[in-house]
């Protein structure tokens, strides 16, 4: 029996559900918006990884040959590449449909790809030839039939294949649509958009009016363009940089689809990755931002700390690896505690108490960067304190071993006792007594020691600025590394074959 819909699921519990149980939840929760975009990408990188490193290892190359050959240029054999590059996508689609998704849009070609130049099109046409498997691979043909998956090519694919001078592939596309036209449970839409989306919308509207002599509705334009009625897009799954290339027209007008991006190419994408996305979509993003913000004070305090800790972080920032020249996202988020009991960003024992507790402010959580800064300055402060204690000890020993009836020395010794008595009262008295004590040491030592003690006093005065959050954060945060525990967990490859 499928558990009731609730946002209190943990992913571990959600992942125990069968495909059929998740499918029922998806169909209920994504009613009228059961469409996703799968911008399948990264296949050339995957091909290079698989066919360069693996081939080198299989050839039994010696260690010396492997080392000396690391600077050799690698190339893609597009005749070989097209045979396997798109196969993973075709099986991924079956897995996604079994989880209850009704319609999946795969934007094959979109207008920004035109910027890659004319030399890219022939390579892409070879890549698309891998779709012949939907008509020639008996396993896939049977699988799509059993799952009720219909295949539709929409947009300017005829024009694109004409530019590539490949009429045979166009015949194959028409054959695939004919084979699957009676499959009605799910639909995969392979899209081609050569011109900008706004121009496509204008042309489609004019064509409709000229044909029927009245203004079209949105649903009529959708059916004319895609060949069937299509729900609004619920979420978009991309790869690499945060962009929405190939975003389908008409069915993503509201701009409220949730966006997800994999770090690794989609050739690494697995069933558990997809389930993580579904869990986030169903139980995380859909339950945020209550209408009236009826929150407790502790909720607001924790919210404040979270936003302050991440005030300089921006999702989407990244860097480029010079070895491969690929972009990758850099870790940005310092996550909040999972519960009030863990309301401390450094996992210390302090807990937030009731609002009536006057000591609550003493347990304010601080960002990891700031905490590391504090630790650094405390070390400096501790060194100064130890230095002062050592000086005081030496002074006491000198006074005990060589008692001096000089009244000035007695006065200095009294000042030292006053320092000890008032040590825990306040920092100002502490600093004053340290100055007096250092002056006592100055009387007993030479002028060079005077200069050293003055430097110690300056260090002590500088340490008084530790409590200034803004000063510490702005002057030292760039030089101190984030603790590794706040980084994203190390990426584990999930390339095991999925049970479709």
């Amino acid at each position: 029996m499928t558990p009731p819909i609730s946002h209190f699921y943990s992913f571990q519990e959600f992942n125990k559900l069968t495909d059929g149980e998740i499918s029922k939840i998806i169909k209920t929760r994504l009613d009228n918006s059961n469409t996703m975009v799968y911008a399948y990408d990264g296949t050339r990188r995957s091909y290079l990884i698989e066919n360069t490193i693996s081939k080198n290892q299989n050839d039994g190359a010696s260690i010396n040959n492997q080392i000396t050959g690391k600077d050799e240029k690698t190339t893609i054999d597009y005749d070989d590449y097209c045979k396997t590059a798109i196969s993973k996508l075709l099986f991924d689609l079956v897995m996604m449909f079994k989880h209850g998704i009704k319609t999946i849009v795969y934007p094959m070609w979109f207008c920004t790809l035109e910027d890659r130049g004319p030399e890219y099109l022939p390579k892409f046409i070879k890549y698309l030839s891998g779709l012949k498997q939907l008509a020639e691979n008996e396993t896939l043909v049977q699988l799509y039939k059993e799952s009720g998956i219909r295949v539709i090519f929409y947009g300017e694919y005829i024009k694109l294949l004409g530019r590539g001078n490949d009429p045979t592939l166009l015949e194959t596309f028409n054959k695939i649509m004919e084979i699957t036209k009676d499959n009605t449970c799910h639909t995969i839409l392979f899209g081609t958009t050569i011109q900008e989306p706004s121009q496509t919308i204008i042309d489609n509207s004019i064509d409709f009016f000229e044909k029927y002599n009245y203004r079209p509705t949105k649903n009529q334009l959708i059916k004319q363009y895609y060949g069937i009625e299509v729900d609004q897009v619920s979420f978009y799954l991309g790869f690499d940089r945060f962009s929405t290339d190939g975003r389908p027209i008409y069915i993503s007008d509201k701009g409220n689809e949730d966006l997800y991006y994999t770090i690794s190419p989609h050739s690494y994408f697995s069933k558990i990755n997809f389930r993580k996305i579904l869990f986030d979509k169903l139980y995380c993003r859909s339950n945020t931002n209550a209408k009236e913000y009826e929150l407790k004070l502790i909720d607001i305090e924790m919210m404040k700390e979270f936003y302050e800790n991440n005030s300089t972080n921006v999702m989407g920032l990244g860097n480029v690896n010079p070895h491969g020249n690929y972009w990758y996202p850099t870790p940005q988020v310092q996550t909040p505690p999972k519960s009030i009991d863990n309301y401390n960003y450094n996992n210390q024992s302090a807990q937030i108490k009731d609002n009536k507790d006057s000591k609550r402010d003493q347990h304010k959580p601080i960002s990891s960067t700031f905490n590391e800064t504090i630790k650094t300055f405390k070390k400096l402060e501790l060194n100064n304190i130890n230095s002062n204690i050592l000086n005081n000890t030496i002074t006491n020993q000198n006074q005990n071993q060589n008692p001096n009836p000089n009244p000035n020395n007695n006065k200095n010794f009294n000042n030292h006792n006053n320092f000890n008595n008032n040590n825990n009262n306040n920092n100002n008295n502490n600093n004053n007594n340290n100055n007096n004590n250092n002056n006592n040491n100055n009387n007993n030592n030479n002028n060079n020691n005077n200069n050293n003690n003055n430097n110690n006093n300056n260090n002590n005065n500088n340490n008084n600025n530790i409590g200034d959050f803004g000063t510490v954060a702005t002057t030292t945060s760039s030089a101190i590394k984030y603790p590794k525990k706040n980084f994203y967990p190390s990426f584990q490859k999930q390339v095991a074959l999925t049970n479709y």
Side-chain angles (χ1 to χ4, degrees):
M1 180 178 178
T2 303
I5 297 174
S6 170
H7 65 274
F8 293 105
Y9 272 120
S10 67
F11 174 73
Q12 288 73 20
E13 291 299 318
F14 178 80
N15 195 38
K16 294 177 182 178
L17 301 177
T18 65
D19 294 350
E21 290 172 332
I22 295 177
S23 177
K24 292 179 181 178
I25 298 175
I26 290 291
K27 292 176 181 178
T28 302
R29 295 290 296 270
L30 301 186
D31 187 33
N32 298 323
S33 61
N34 197 347
T35 300
M36 65 167 285
V37 177
Y38 188 20
Y40 187 75
D41 200 2
T43 54
R44 289 182 296 173
R45 302 180 198 186
S46 301
Y47 178 84
L48 286 172
I49 293 171
E50 179 65 25
N51 292 273
T52 302
I53 298 178
S54 299
K55 182 179 180 181
N56 192 34
Q57 293 174 347
N58 293 335
D59 289 343
S62 65
I63 296 178
N64 292 331
N65 288 338
Q66 290 182 30
I67 294 175
T68 57
K70 286 184 181 294
D71 291 333
E72 295 180 1
K73 297 289 185 180
T74 59
T75 57
I76 296 177
D77 182 353
Y78 279 91
D79 290 329
D80 182 55
Y81 162 77
C82 69
K83 297 177 182 177
T84 58
I86 208 167
S87 297
K88 177 70 163 52
L89 167 66
L90 302 179
F91 285 98
D92 278 354
L93 296 173
V94 177
M95 178 269 293
M96 294 172 176
F97 284 133
K98 286 189 174 183
H99 282 77
I101 302 298
K102 180 181 178 182
T103 306
I104 300 177
V105 180
Y106 169 47
M108 299 190 304
W109 183 273
F110 35 88
C111 60
T112 55
L113 292 179
E114 298 285 335
D115 299 335
R116 298 189 179 184
E119 68 277 2
Y120 180 70
L121 180 60
K123 300 175 182 178
F124 185 76
I125 296 298
K126 286 187 177 182
Y127 165 74
L128 291 182
S129 65
L131 293 173
K132 293 179 180 179
Q133 298 177 66
L134 292 174
E136 300 173 356
N137 187 317
E138 294 183 2
T139 301
L140 274 173
V141 172
Q142 186 63 25
L143 189 58
Y144 272 57
K145 182 177 181 180
E146 292 175 354
S147 302
I149 302 173
R150 182 179 181 181
V151 178
I152 294 177
F153 295 90
Y154 73 88
E156 302 166 276
Y157 65 95
I158 297 177
K159 182 178 179 180
L160 183 71
L161 295 180
R163 286 169 52 186
N165 193 25
D166 196 337
T168 303
L169 187 56
L170 177 58
E171 293 176 2
T172 302
F173 283 6
N174 291 330
K175 180 180 179 181
I176 293 171
M177 288 192 285
E178 181 65 24
I179 292 174
T180 62
K181 68 178 182 179
D182 295 328
N183 302 338
T184 57
C185 296
H186 310 279
T187 305
I188 171 62
L189 299 171
F190 291 104
T192 304
T193 305
I194 296 176
Q195 58 185 359
E196 293 184 359
S198 57
Q199 187 61 48
T200 301
I201 293 173
I202 293 171
D203 293 345
N204 291 348
S205 300
I206 294 174
D207 291 344
F208 187 95
F209 184 83
E210 290 178 347
K211 183 176 182 179
Y212 299 104
N213 199 31
Y214 66 88
R215 297 169 62 182
T217 64
K218 180 178 179 178
N219 289 337
Q220 288 172 331
L221 289 174
I222 290 175
K223 191 170 184 178
Q224 174 185 265
Y225 187 61
Y226 294 105
I228 58 171
E229 296 180 356
V230 185
D231 288 349
Q232 291 295 302
V233 172
S234 180
F235 61 98
Y236 180 107
L237 174 56
F239 158 67
D240 201 42
R241 290 164 291 184
F242 297 179
S243 63
T244 54
D245 290 329
R247 193 163 171 260
I249 60 175
Y250 302 126
I251 57 176
S252 54
D253 291 345
K254 295 180 179 180
N256 62 345
E257 64 268 26
D258 292 314
L259 305 179
Y260 299 92
Y261 296 89
T262 63
I263 299 173
S264 300
H266 288 145
S267 301
Y268 291 87
F269 195 71
S270 67
K271 181 176 180 178
I272 191 170
N273 287 343
F274 188 61
R275 287 186 164 210
K276 288 178 180 178
I277 292 173
L278 294 181
F279 176 78
D280 180 84
K281 172 66 181 175
L282 292 172
Y283 302 115
C284 298
R285 302 203 186 190
S286 60
N287 291 283
T288 58
N289 296 336
K291 291 183 179 179
E292 300 298 331
Y293 281 98
E294 296 178 355
L295 304 176
K296 300 177 182 179
L297 177 59
I298 184 63
D299 298 331
I300 299 175
E301 288 181 346
M302 294 175 71
M303 182 191 300
K304 173 179 178 291
E305 296 294 343
F306 172 72
Y307 288 136
E308 285 183 348
N309 289 336
N310 290 280
S311 60
T312 59
N313 298 336
V314 179
M315 296 297 294
L317 296 182
N319 210 332
V320 176
N321 189 343
H323 300 286
N325 198 34
Y326 57 87
W327 180 90
Y328 60 89
T330 52
Q332 294 293 322
V333 180
Q334 295 185 41
T335 58
K338 294 182 179 180
S339 66
I340 294 177
D341 291 339
N342 296 324
Y343 183 33
N344 187 286
Y345 284 91
N346 299 291
N347 294 324
Q348 296 174 351
S349 59
Q351 297 179 358
I352 292 298
K353 300 181 180 181
D354 295 336
N355 294 334
K356 297 180 180 179
D357 189 350
S358 61
K359 296 183 179 180
R360 183 187 60 203
D361 292 339
Q362 298 177 6
H363 304 295
K364 284 187 176 180
I366 53 180
S367 67
S368 297
T369 307
F370 180 60
N371 186 59
E372 291 300 308
T373 305
I374 292 296
K375 289 180 180 178
T376 302
F377 275 91
K378 281 186 175 181
K379 288 179 180 179
L380 295 176
E381 181 184 32
L382 183 60
N383 291 335
N384 290 329
I385 292 175
N386 290 337
S387 177
N388 289 334
I389 292 175
L390 179 61
N391 290 334
N392 293 336
T393 303
I394 294 174
T395 301
N396 289 337
Q397 290 175 351
N398 290 336
Q399 290 172 343
N400 290 331
Q401 294 175 1
N402 301 307
N404 192 339
N406 191 322
N408 292 330
N409 286 339
N410 290 334
K411 183 178 179 180
N412 293 335
F413 182 75
N414 291 333
N415 287 337
H416 175 68
N417 287 334
N418 289 335
F419 162 73
N420 289 331
N421 292 332
N422 296 320
N423 185 42
N424 295 324
N425 289 340
N426 54 64
N427 290 331
N428 291 330
N429 290 334
N430 185 17
N431 289 333
N432 291 333
N433 287 323
N434 279 335
N435 291 332
N436 291 332
N437 187 45
N438 287 333
N439 288 332
N440 294 334
N441 291 330
N442 291 340
N443 293 331
N444 293 325
N445 298 310
N446 56 29
N447 291 331
N448 290 332
N449 286 337
N450 287 336
N451 293 331
N452 292 333
N453 287 329
N454 287 335
N455 290 333
N456 286 335
N457 289 334
N458 290 334
N459 288 335
N460 287 334
N461 290 333
N462 289 334
N463 286 335
N464 290 334
N465 292 327
I466 291 177
D468 187 348
F469 182 92
T471 302
V472 174
T474 55
T475 58
T476 64
S477 60
S478 61
I480 295 178
K481 295 182 179 180
Y482 282 64
K484 291 184 178 180
K485 65 180 180 180
N486 281 333
F487 278 0
Y488 293 133
S490 60
F491 183 81
Q492 298 178 353
K493 289 185 179 180
Q494 298 170 337
V495 294
L497 294 177
T498 305
N499 293 324
Y500 298 101

